[in-house]
Amino acid sequence: LSLPVDGAEVVVTTRMRRRAPAVLYFGGNAEDVAASLPELSAAFPDHALYLMHYRGYGGSTGEPTEAALVADAQKLFERVSTEHPSIVVVGRSLGGGVAVRVASSNPIARLVLITPFDSLEELAARQLPFLPVRWMLHDKFESWRHAAQVRAPTLVLAAENDEVVPRERTEALLAHFREGVARLEVVPGAGHNTIQASPRFSALLGGAK
């Protein structure tokens, strides 16, 4: 699927299921989202799948600023919502920031955040303490500012041994959701980039308790 957006063309990898529930997937930084199609297909066998390639990646044109990614995600949601009765939104790492923005302002069935963080600024400040990142970052991906507007049931998946996103940054985001909206599941033995290899991950992604 090629999605015309403001000043660019965004490529969306799809698995079509006409009039079925749909999943929108927003990946991590520089992730080839097409590679996540098998795991999403297994977790959501009856859903249509839409995996958005950010501007500048996977054949999409344009520059991948936060504002552009959020606008593109909103346009994709609007397109998909005309063809499917309900939508699950899934965001991984950086894509969690995009997913929270979509979920905070649209009626969705469910939100799944994989290894998310509360703020890119806070994450970078702790990972790179010797650099003045608060002055350097134009795109802050402050998911915590929007979490309270999410009404849909939300699953937050953390990797037990995440070497990129400290647990405190995930829990800081979790604390900003309304009471009873979000729950945290820790995938044992998993790292930031290996969480999808766990059988527990696939079951949780698909909605198992």
Side-chain angles (χ1 to χ4, degrees):
L1 173 67
S2 181
L3 185 70
V5 295
D6 185 25
E9 289 278 334
V10 168
V11 174
V12 183
T13 293
T14 62
R15 184 190 68 180
M16 294 299 187
R17 295 278 191 277
R18 290 182 63 81
R19 290 188 281 280
V23 173
L24 302 189
Y25 178 75
F26 305 106
N29 181 42
E31 177 185 337
D32 175 11
V33 296
S36 293
L37 190 60
E39 71 195 48
L40 290 167
S41 296
F44 298 98
D46 301 321
H47 286 62
L49 304 177
Y50 295 83
L51 292 68
M52 190 177 87
H53 295 263
Y54 299 147
R55 296 186 185 211
Y57 297 94
S60 295
T61 61
E63 292 295 319
T65 65
E66 179 181 4
L69 300 190
V70 170
D72 297 347
Q74 178 61 31
K75 188 152 190 178
L76 178 60
F77 177 88
E78 290 168 2
R79 166 80 175 267
V80 171
S81 64
T82 65
E83 301 174 11
H84 300 277
S86 66
I87 296 175
V88 175
V89 176
V90 180
R92 185 194 299 264
S93 194
L94 185 79
V98 180
V100 167
R101 292 291 294 275
V102 172
S104 70
S105 55
N106 296 283
I108 69 168
R110 183 168 168 251
L111 174 63
V112 182
L113 301 174
I114 304 163
T115 62
F117 48 82
D118 57 334
S119 159
L120 183 58
E121 182 180 50
E122 291 296 329
L123 178 65
R126 283 156 177 75
Q127 299 288 78
L128 307 169
F130 50 88
L131 294 177
V133 293
R134 286 181 170 83
W135 296 102
M136 295 164 57
L137 284 172
H138 296 292
D139 296 325
K140 298 184 178 181
F141 288 91
E142 293 179 317
S143 297
W144 66 270
R145 291 187 181 275
H146 307 279
Q149 280 71 57
V150 176
R151 299 289 197 276
T154 298
L155 173 65
V156 177
L157 291 175
E160 181 183 29
N161 304 318
D162 198 317
E163 67 285 8
V164 177
V165 178
R167 182 76 56 77
E168 66 186 57
R169 300 272 51 90
T170 299
E171 291 178 349
L173 172 61
L174 192 70
H176 284 276
F177 284 90
R178 291 170 180 262
E179 185 175 356
V181 167
R183 67 184 177 97
L184 174 67
E185 291 278 353
V186 179
V187 178
H192 188 80
N193 295 313
T194 61
I195 188 171
Q196 67 274 13
S198 167
R200 181 69 177 142
F201 170 82
S202 183
L204 288 166
L205 187 63
K209 295 293 185 183

